[in-house]
Amino acid sequence: MQPNRIKALGVFDSGVGGLTVVKAIRDLVPVDEIIYLGDTARVPYGNKSPASVIRYAREISAFLLSHQIEGMVTACNTATAYALSVLQEELEIPVFGVIEPGVEAALAATKNGRIGIIGTVGTIGSQAYQNALLKRNSHLELVPVATPLLVPLIEEHWLDKRATTLIIEEYLEPIRKSDVDTLVLACTHYPLLKPVLSKMLGDQVVLVDSAITCGLKVGQELLGRLVTSETEKTQDIQVYLTDMAPHFGKMAQEFLGLKKCHIQVVSVS
Ligand code: DGL
């Protein structure tokens, strides 16, 4: 029989980006406690080799497992692309990634079959999104663009600075020329740039990310159900970082609507 609530769920990312997935999980899944690990000592993951990212993911999993988690979410596209299958094979608890949920969201959103994808060098180079989308529909036209400068800007909380807008404009040029109707935010950090992105692309382009589809999947698979009332929502979030990150607490408070964000710095390697 499936339990009525999840006692503890582990979630990790290289930094602040995984909070976009945490937000959806808190809204959708009855969980007592989320244990979040942001690997701020080693962010960004996007330009690291697959072997390094797999090693980081294993180390973080061992840390999260010591907190008696019942499931784990790899809330990072780069880590999902490189390490999800390894973690799923090695760990005894269910492990969720963010790429399949992002693919599902993109397929549900597109009407003209032209989809832009922005992500890290690792995620775009791995072809994980391209392969998964084309496997479902080989007629899709995809415009993948690696956007490596965005994660450091987001970690700096430069969400609406002029320099950030200029960099995004440059990155989006091939996407704007391609008449896409959907843009996949294939990095969990990028939903924090949604206001700038939607201002730039206008209403005709739907921005999709993995957060909600990932939350739905976690709830359905671990419990066979989603939250039914406000009081059922996640009660607590424990935040661990591998190095102090000056803007993390503020962003977590703003984005998750927390009154306080108590952060503990830990070593996982
Ligand atoms: N949030 C991570 C992702 O979804 C960021 C990767 C990075 O640290 O470069 O890929």
Side-chain angles (χ1 to χ4, degrees), residues 86-104:
V86 175
L87 299 177
Q88 285 176 330
E89 210 175 288
E90 292 178 357
L91 304 187
E92 277 165 17
I93 56 166
V95 185
F96 301 88
V98 281
I99 292 182
E100 276 301 319
V103 165
E104 277 166 34

Side-chain angles (χ1 to χ4, degrees), residues 11-18 36-39 45 60 75-76 155 188-189:
V11 180
F12 79 90
D13 178 43
S14 59
V16 80
Y36 186 84
L37 187 292
D39 197 2
Y45 279 8
I60 292 167
C76 169
E155 289 286 326
T188 52
H189 281 69

Side-chain angles (χ1 to χ4, degrees), residues 27 70 130 199 250 254:
D27 285 344
E70 291 159 53
Q130 296 93 310
K199 203 163 144 197
K250 185 169 175 264
E254 263 174 34

Side-chain angles (χ1 to χ4, degrees), residues 238-264:
Q238 301 283 342
V239 178
Y240 295 93
L241 300 180
T242 52
D243 204 352
M244 213 43 228
H247 307 291
F248 193 99
K250 185 169 175 264
M251 281 197 273
Q253 277 175 271
E254 263 174 34
F255 193 68
L256 298 177
L258 303 174
K259 284 202 189 80
K260 261 196 338 220
C261 179
H262 177 65
I263 296 173
Q264 295 177 65

Side-chain angles (χ1 to χ4, degrees), residues 36 57 73 84 89 109 112 145 154 207 234:
Y36 186 84
V73 182
L84 181 66
E89 210 175 288
N112 72 4
V145 179
I154 295 162
L207 303 178
T234 304

Side-chain angles (χ1 to χ4, degrees), residues 63-212:
F63 172 81
L64 290 173
L65 282 168
S66 71
H67 289 76
Q68 283 76 48
I69 54 169
E70 291 159 53
M72 188 174 81
V73 182
T74 305
C76 169
N77 286 270
T78 316
T80 300
Y82 290 155
L84 181 66
S85 55
V86 175
L87 299 177
Q88 285 176 330
E89 210 175 288
E90 292 178 357
L91 304 187
E92 277 165 17
I93 56 166
V95 185
F96 301 88
V98 281
I99 292 182
E100 276 301 319
V103 165
E104 277 166 34
L107 291 170
T110 187
K111 293 202 167 58
N112 72 4
R114 290 196 198 98
I115 301 176
I117 308 166
I118 54 172
T120 65
V121 170
T123 300
I124 298 296
S126 75
Q127 308 268 335
Y129 272 90
Q130 296 93 310
N131 291 340
L133 284 162
L134 292 172
K135 199 167 135 195
R136 310 275 186 91
N137 179 352
S138 59
H139 301 295
L140 293 172
E141 282 175 43
L142 305 179
V143 189
V145 179
T147 52
L149 296 175
L150 299 186
V151 166
L153 289 168
I154 295 162
E155 289 286 326
E156 271 308 302
H157 202 223
W158 276 37
L159 304 181
D160 52 10
K161 299 263 190 198
R162 210 157 50 92
T164 307
T165 309
L166 285 174
I167 289 168
I168 295 175
E169 252 166 22
E170 184 93 22
Y171 278 145
L172 290 187
E173 214 180 294
I175 287 170
R176 284 166 123 175
K177 284 189 191 144
S178 314
D179 192 27
V180 305
D181 71 352
T182 302
L183 178 64
V184 185
L185 310 183
C187 170
T188 52
H189 281 69
Y190 299 172
L192 293 162
L193 295 173
K194 265 185 182 170
V196 181
L197 289 165
S198 43
K199 203 163 144 197
M200 219 173 271
L201 293 169
D203 294 344
Q204 44 309 3
V205 179
V206 184
L207 303 178
V208 300
D209 62 68
S210 318
I212 291 175

